[in-house]
Amino acid sequence: MKLPRCCFLLLIVAIFFSCNKDEGVGGSSSIEGYVYNVVHKDDNFSFTIDTIPAVGEKVYIVYGNNVDAPVADKDVDTNKNGMYHFEYLRKGDYYVYALNSYPDQLSKAKTAEYKSVKVGSGTAQVENIYIHSGKAYGLSMIKGTIIAQYYDKTAQKGNPIPAVEHRVYLKRAGEDSYFDDVRTSSTGVFYFQKVSPGTYEVYTTTEDINVKNRILSTTPQTIEVTEAETVYELPNIFNIVLNI
């Protein structure tokens, strides 16, 4: 007896899915979870962070347990609560991940935050995924202080005091010119923010007591930045001369 064509096709599909036991689509199970965005704010001297639902963030799934798979098998977007859902999956092992976003100083690199999940019957819940973003993410600060001694025609005027609104320069070790500059606060303190890992030289300017309007560069202080989100303080205070 010959089967109708539609029944024959259904039989082929049933045989295919019953024989294919690998992870992937074709089952009745699902995966769901939440993604949270850890925001590292700019102009934040204590490196405090805000954690909020990651809205509209892409979440990727890898079928099987190969976390080094070069391409994800599928992706979905999170909803307004940071929730995502993958459905019609077969039983087995999966990886899901979302991407951290680094700022410009780190070439806007992206790294993945992975979670593994074993899928059985029904819906498998995944541990929360925390991704990181923000202008200060992965970066550090360099801090220093400048003290000024004022002179009037080579005569010392009072005691040294904090240098206010005095300019300071930052350059990479071995380079000729600076790439960033800031001014000191009312306490003579300065910060270079959003500094990527590397070796740096910090310097400022001082004046010649004996020659009016002669500006000199101070000897640079060298400092190495290795850890993210750390305040590196220069080993020495800059002591400068200013003529009045």
Side-chain angles (χ1 to χ4, degrees), residues 141-147 167-171 182 184 188-192 195 198-204 218-225 230-239:
M141 297 183 190
I142 295 175
K143 176 185 178 182
T145 304
I146 301 177
I147 298 296
R167 196 176 293 277
V168 197
Y169 305 90
L170 179 68
K171 68 176 185 177
V182 295
T184 55
V189 174
F190 62 87
Y191 285 89
F192 287 102
V195 180
T199 303
Y200 298 89
E201 293 179 354
V202 182
Y203 65 97
T204 186
T218 61
T219 301
Q221 293 192 54
T222 302
I223 192 160
E224 185 174 5
V225 174
T230 302
V231 177
Y232 287 85
E233 191 158 359
L234 293 173
N236 300 307
I237 293 174
F238 284 107
N239 291 281

Side-chain angles (χ1 to χ4, degrees), residues 37-222:
N37 188 5
V38 183
V39 183
H40 302 251
K41 296 180 179 179
D42 196 11
D43 296 321
N44 185 346
F45 298 98
S46 61
F47 294 109
T48 55
I49 55 177
D50 284 340
T51 302
I52 59 176
V55 179
E57 194 72 38
K58 284 199 177 298
V59 182
Y60 304 85
I61 189 169
V62 177
Y63 301 155
N65 58 4
N66 181 16
V67 72
D68 296 321
V71 180
D73 293 289
K74 188 179 180 182
D75 64 79
V76 296
D77 292 336
T78 56
N79 66 14
K80 63 180 181 180
N81 298 315
M83 182 181 178
Y84 63 91
H85 186 88
F86 292 99
E87 55 188 6
Y88 307 123
L89 299 174
R90 291 191 289 271
K91 297 179 182 179
D93 297 315
Y94 295 82
Y95 278 98
V96 293
Y97 66 91
L99 299 175
N100 298 310
S101 296
Y102 287 91
D104 292 344
Q105 287 87 337
L106 296 173
S107 303
K108 294 186 177 179
K110 289 184 178 291
T111 56
E113 295 291 341
Y114 285 91
K115 294 294 180 183
S116 60
V117 56
K118 192 171 189 67
V119 173
S121 300
T123 301
Q125 300 292 329
V126 186
E127 291 182 60
N128 293 339
I129 297 175
Y130 293 89
I131 58 173
H132 297 258
S133 66
K135 293 183 178 180
Y137 177 46
L139 302 173
S140 295
M141 297 183 190
I142 295 175
K143 176 185 178 182
T145 304
I146 301 177
I147 298 296
Q149 176 62 66
Y150 285 87
Y151 283 84
D152 183 6
K153 296 179 181 178
T154 72
Q156 182 175 322
K157 304 295 290 184
N159 296 318
I161 60 174
V164 179
E165 288 292 312
H166 197 75
R167 196 176 293 277
V168 197
Y169 305 90
L170 179 68
K171 68 176 185 177
R172 294 179 177 85
E175 295 188 357
D176 294 329
S177 59
Y178 67 91
F179 67 91
D180 194 10
D181 64 278
V182 295
R183 289 187 181 272
T184 55
S185 68
S186 60
T187 60
V189 174
F190 62 87
Y191 285 89
F192 287 102
Q193 300 184 64
K194 297 181 288 187
V195 180
S196 59
T199 303
Y200 298 89
E201 293 179 354
V202 182
Y203 65 97
T204 186
T205 57
T206 187
E207 297 182 18
D208 190 327
I209 300 173
N210 300 301
V211 181
K212 190 175 181 179
N213 297 326
R214 185 184 180 192
I215 307 298
L216 307 171
S217 294
T218 61
T219 301
Q221 293 192 54
T222 302

